[in-house]
Amino acid sequence: MSIKSNKTAWINGVLATMDPGITDNDYGLLRNKAIITEGGIITAIVPNNDREVGTCKIRIDCKGALATPGFIDCHTHLVYAGNRACEWELRLKGASYREIAESGGGIQTTVQATRAASFEDLYTLAEKRLAAMQSEGVTTVEIKSGYGLEKSAERKILEVIRSLKAKGTIDIAPAFLAAHSVPPEYIGRADAYMNLICREMIPEFWGDGLFEAADIFVESIAFNLEQAEKMYRTCAAFGIPVKAHNEQISNIGGSALLARYKGRSTDHIERIDEAGVKALAEAGTVGVLLPGAFYFLRDTRPPPVALLRRYKVPMAVATDYNPGTSPFTSIRQALNMASTFFGLTPAEALAGVTRHAAKALGREHTHGILRPGFHANFALWNVKDPVEIFYELGPNPLQFIVFEGDIHPS
Ligand code: NIG
Ligand code: FE
């Protein structure tokens, strides 16, 4: 009997709803409540002994397990070929990320491997990485293009993402990141490459429904503010939401510019200043913290969490899974690092992979909270307290995930 198509009661769970409307505790915890689902949606949250539970065709006993919203990894570069282990070794012998990038390695290494890979190879590699993420409670993942940097290869990556999404086992938010790096063919001609992005790639790929938001790496080693603004203007004309990698290595004012275009999220932001944070607050832009890249690049300057708190900028947490700066699929590791390196409280960290990550992807009215009307995406954990989900790495306390009302793996 299909769970999804029948009215189902998930009884005897402890619910970490992450609903800020439930104000008497950090996690929006509810006890002795059942989640009712039908057609992939949470239709009600009622006491375990409510009449409504009796009307359900299916009853699933969660036996005291902790339910959280399905986790949302709102920043990944999951479709690529090859790896950069050799560059890691070079960095461990003293080379810097910037030096490697400037000598033609870094993102370009992955671009060469990804251009050469077939659709099928990219699909198979990505599928395995997605399975690893699901095994830690992830039900929504953002995936960026950006290792093609030419029309055909960027399209190939976006089509791989579309096929992964069509499988229907995980919610995917595709992001267009041709402005990840200046491709080898355009070295010294970044403006011309930006023209190609704005005049051809954005209109064609958007027209084909291949992405939900456009992203750009705004940095001294990538694109400058003028080029970013050109892309934001093009996107505004099409109604395309924008986001950016900002203030990871230096501060050239990327977040403040993005805020002027009401960006959905500004990501990394280790080097953002107070004016930038203020601009984010005014624009309602989410700050996405990426502790995996901070760790793997051996950065020593954490993002200004106290400032972000003071200005009430929503903070999301993501893996930034990619072969160069964050080769980690583990959202539990990202949560652990966000708390240990950046000082997020466990409740802030969990909000960062649920409701705030949903906002970063424009899904704040449908995902990231256990609440009637929201998608029936949740994770069941064998833990007593929410912090145990990411306190211990190695043993995985996930029991199972529910995606669109069905148990996965079924
Ligand atoms: O998010 N900052 C730019 N992009 C990636 C790194 C990509 C790479 O090195 O391959 C990041 O850290
Ligand atoms: Fe990134």
Side-chain angles (χ1 to χ4, degrees):
M1 186 159 38
S2 148
I3 300 177
K4 179 172 179 161
S5 48
N6 286 287
K7 191 169 170 186
T8 301
W10 308 79
I11 58 170
N12 297 330
V14 176
L15 314 184
T17 63
M18 299 313 294
D19 192 334
I22 299 170
T23 50
D24 55 343
N25 61 66
D26 284 345
Y27 303 98
L29 274 183
L30 295 176
R31 293 176 196 279
N32 306 316
K33 292 277 203 295
I35 304 174
I36 312 290
T37 61
E38 192 168 11
I41 298 292
I42 297 176
T43 57
I45 294 180
V46 297
N48 279 319
N49 57 6
D50 196 271
R51 257 194 65 251
E52 180 97 11
V53 172
T55 68
C56 292
K57 281 230 176 80
I58 302 177
R59 239 163 296 172
I60 294 175
D61 190 347
C62 300
K63 298 184 181 149
L66 184 89
T68 62
F71 288 168
I72 298 170
D73 191 342
C74 68
H75 182 139
T76 86
H77 308 247
L78 189 140
V79 177
Y80 66 85
N83 72 55
R84 305 242 288 280
C86 293
E87 290 183 4
W88 183 42
E89 192 158 356
L90 286 179
R91 284 200 292 112
L92 291 172
K93 289 180 183 161
S96 72
Y97 182 71
R98 182 192 286 275
E99 280 161 8
I100 293 173
E102 283 171 351
S103 65
I107 292 173
Q108 305 301 345
T109 305
T110 305
V111 168
Q112 279 168 24
T114 306
R115 284 181 178 179
S118 67
F119 177 98
E120 289 71 26
D121 287 347
L122 288 175
Y123 183 94
T124 309
L125 287 165
E127 213 181 15
K128 288 199 187 105
R129 296 165 186 156
L130 279 177
M133 290 183 170
Q134 287 172 298
S135 77
E136 294 199 358
V138 172
T139 53
T140 295
V141 59
E142 186 255 26
I143 309 180
K144 304 172 192 303
S145 69
Y147 288 122
L149 309 186
E150 64 185 7
K151 222 160 122 182
S152 59
E154 285 293 308
R155 176 177 281 281
K156 175 175 67 178
I157 296 168
L158 291 169
E159 285 178 351
V160 167
I161 300 171
R162 178 158 71 187
S163 297
L164 293 163
K165 188 175 167 122
K167 232 179 116 189
T169 53
I170 186 163
D171 173 34
I172 295 179
F176 173 63
L177 177 60
H180 195 190
S181 176
V182 180
E185 303 78 11
Y186 282 86
I187 295 296
R189 297 189 299 128
D191 287 328
Y193 180 57
M194 187 48 77
N195 282 340
L196 174 71
I197 290 176
C198 292
R199 292 185 191 153
E200 297 186 28
M201 293 201 222
I202 288 178
E204 289 176 28
F205 298 164
W206 181 253
D208 290 343
L210 283 169
F211 66 94
E212 290 183 15
D215 196 349
I216 178 165
F217 188 17
V218 182
E219 188 55 70
S220 43
I221 56 168
F223 295 92
N224 63 28
L225 293 180
E226 262 171 47
Q227 289 149 356
E229 184 152 25
K230 185 176 170 68
M231 192 185 96
Y232 299 154
R233 285 220 177 106
T234 303
C235 288
F238 285 94
I240 300 170
V242 289
K243 61 203 294 186
H245 289 64
N246 283 318
E247 290 104 28
Q248 181 186 16
I249 302 172
S250 62
N251 182 345
I252 59 170
S255 284
L257 174 69
L258 180 70
R260 294 218 322 264
Y261 288 85
K262 298 275 175 280
R264 273 188 177 160
S265 76
T266 180
D267 301 36
H268 289 287
I269 58 169
E270 281 86 352
R271 284 157 186 80
I272 194 171
D273 54 19
E274 184 160 359
V277 172
K278 196 160 172 270
L280 297 180
E282 281 159 12
T285 302
V286 176
V288 179
L289 310 186
L290 303 168
F294 172 89
Y295 156 77
F296 202 61
L297 292 178
R298 295 200 291 185
D299 200 347
T300 49
R301 179 161 158 169
V305 165
L307 260 186
L308 294 163
R309 279 190 192 120
R310 182 160 6 118
Y311 283 93
K312 297 197 169 31
V313 173
M315 292 180 281
V317 173
T319 60
D320 192 14
Y321 175 67
N322 78 73
T325 66
S326 192
F328 315 111
T329 55
S330 173
I331 195 89
R332 294 170 58 243
Q333 178 182 303
L335 286 164
N336 185 297
M337 287 177 165
S339 289
T340 50
F341 286 142
F342 299 166
L344 263 56
T345 66
E348 283 176 326
L350 276 181
V353 299
T354 55
R355 64 173 188 270
H356 293 163
K359 184 168 164 61
L361 299 182
R363 282 163 166 69
E364 67 271 34
H365 301 299
T366 49
H367 293 74
I369 298 179
L370 299 179
R371 185 192 277 171
F374 277 49
H375 283 240
N377 292 350
F378 43 94
L380 265 291
W381 305 91
N382 284 319
V383 299
K384 220 163 87 0
D385 293 313
V387 66
E388 289 173 48
I389 294 171
F390 56 99
Y391 152 69
E392 187 180 15
L393 301 177
N396 181 355
L398 185 84
Q399 226 175 67
F400 58 82
I401 55 177
V402 175
F403 177 65
E404 301 294 333
D406 266 329
I407 292 182
H408 285 270
S410 49

